[in-house]
Amino acid sequence: MSILISLALFFIMVSLGLNLPSLQFDLLKHRPALIVRVLLATCVALPLACLLLLRTPLGQGLSPAITTAVMLMAICPSAPMIALKSRKLAENPELATRLQFWSACAAIISVPLWVSQLPVEAGETIWSVSSRDVAFQVFTVQLIPLLVGVSLRRWCAEWSERWNPVIQKGASMLLLVLLALILIVALPKVTPMLIGNLRGALLMFILTWIGLGLGFAVAGDDQDERSTLPLVLSMRNPGLALLIIQGMAPNAIDLKAAVVGYVVVTAVGSAPFMKWRQANESQDQISGNV
């Protein structure tokens, strides 16, 4: 399982790097305020909102597995499917890829800092790992393959153009297979837990919409930003969350299943936003043709 998770995350980050023609310092140079707003929202504001939600009556009494999985997903930015989804909404899908790059870089600092806030009730020593170990883990599975992809794109551009679609589809399928396997293995054990914790699903749904709202709030007047940024904030990184769980508590199948549940709730919760933005895009095109 650990090898499968690592491979999926590795190829996803390589594919992300292959989508970048160069290191995206141009965005930092021309739109520094946008990057700062997005990173503060996805790495600070959303985890903080999750922490506060878990301390409300809605979050009280949830199972330790669901509580931990929700917090873990909240602190893991840069979901692998953002670029694919943004292509359905935005004329400039590269914006999502560029923001993914900066979110992945910021995660090296933010994820280890937030790990200390994970509920210790999920296991007696489950989160006793040091922040330095988590930082090293994030660095090796996110930044290194990301830089490998960027380097291949720069020095082997023709090869990258030919093989990147294959790598991207293969990595996405590998992650989907991984999530499906975890759900199948955990279903008999976790189904009663999920039924008994419907408030947990509601909390995941609310957190998804908080992410969408934050993204829309930090976006400018540009329509591509208003379509892309909510996805960047609301969609979290299940591959990174599963890798952290695998490194700290490899037998915690209930935690892994709860992470998969979060992915499902996010997909359902973001569907109305996707339809709304697609309708707006269609309306703008009709108005432009008149």
Side-chain angles (χ1 to χ4, degrees):
M1 183 70 73
S2 179
I3 295 176
L4 187 59
I5 294 173
S6 299
L7 282 175
L9 196 55
F10 178 86
F11 284 114
I12 285 169
M13 299 312 296
V14 169
S15 177
L16 175 58
L18 289 173
N19 278 321
L20 296 169
S22 62
L23 287 176
Q24 294 302 309
F25 293 115
D26 58 334
L27 186 63
L28 180 62
K29 179 179 179 180
H30 299 295
R31 302 292 306 278
L34 175 65
I35 293 180
V36 170
R37 292 200 306 268
V38 170
L39 294 184
L40 286 176
T42 194
C43 296
V44 179
L46 191 66
L48 184 60
C50 178
L51 195 62
L52 294 175
L53 267 177
L54 290 173
R55 294 181 178 179
T56 65
L58 180 64
Q60 297 296 318
L62 294 177
S63 71
I66 290 182
T67 301
T68 304
V70 169
M71 189 66 203
L72 190 56
M73 286 292 282
I75 69 175
C76 291
S78 187
M81 302 296 185
I82 293 174
L84 295 177
K85 276 201 170 186
S86 69
R87 288 192 179 96
K88 301 178 182 178
L89 304 179
E91 295 181 0
N92 179 23
E94 288 186 2
L95 177 62
T97 304
R98 294 175 179 182
L99 293 175
Q100 271 187 284
F101 170 81
W102 287 109
S103 296
C105 293
I108 299 173
I109 298 174
S110 66
V111 173
L113 292 177
W114 278 110
V115 159
S116 62
Q117 297 298 320
L118 292 170
V120 295
E121 297 88 356
E124 293 178 0
T125 58
I126 207 172
W127 308 118
S128 60
V129 67
S130 69
S131 296
R132 181 180 299 178
D133 291 338
V134 176
F136 178 77
Q137 192 175 34
V138 176
F139 177 81
T140 54
V141 301
Q142 289 222 140
L143 191 57
I144 288 180
L146 186 62
L147 293 176
V148 168
V150 170
S151 301
L152 288 172
R153 177 63 182 251
R154 180 171 183 177
W155 302 109
C156 307
E158 186 176 337
W159 182 91
S160 300
E161 289 288 344
R162 186 188 314 122
W163 288 103
N164 184 39
V166 177
I167 294 175
Q168 188 174 36
K169 290 180 181 178
S172 299
M173 290 181 61
L174 191 60
L175 181 61
L176 291 175
V177 169
L178 173 65
L179 296 177
L181 284 175
I182 291 173
L183 188 59
I184 291 171
V185 171
L187 198 59
K189 178 180 178 181
V190 176
T191 299
M193 179 189 70
L194 293 177
I195 293 176
N197 287 274
L198 293 178
R199 287 188 297 115
L202 177 59
L203 191 143
M204 295 175 186
F205 186 88
I206 292 173
L207 196 59
T208 297
W209 273 89
I210 289 175
L212 291 170
L214 277 173
F216 201 80
V218 301
D221 295 330
D222 183 80
Q223 292 302 313
D224 280 351
E225 289 183 16
R226 290 186 172 186
S227 296
T228 302
L229 267 61
L231 295 179
V232 171
L233 267 70
S234 63
M235 296 178 65
R236 314 311 286 172
N237 193 334
L240 181 56
L242 290 172
L243 191 65
I244 293 174
I245 294 173
Q246 187 66 26
M248 299 179 184
N251 297 321
I253 192 66
D254 50 348
L255 280 177
K256 297 175 183 177
V259 166
V260 178
Y262 192 105
V263 175
V264 173
V265 171
T266 298
V268 174
S270 61
F273 172 81
M274 297 281 293
K275 290 183 179 180
W276 173 56
R277 295 307 298 171
Q278 286 173 334
N280 273 15
E281 182 68 22
S282 299
Q283 186 63 38
D284 289 343
Q285 290 178 354
I286 293 174
S287 300
N289 294 330
V290 174

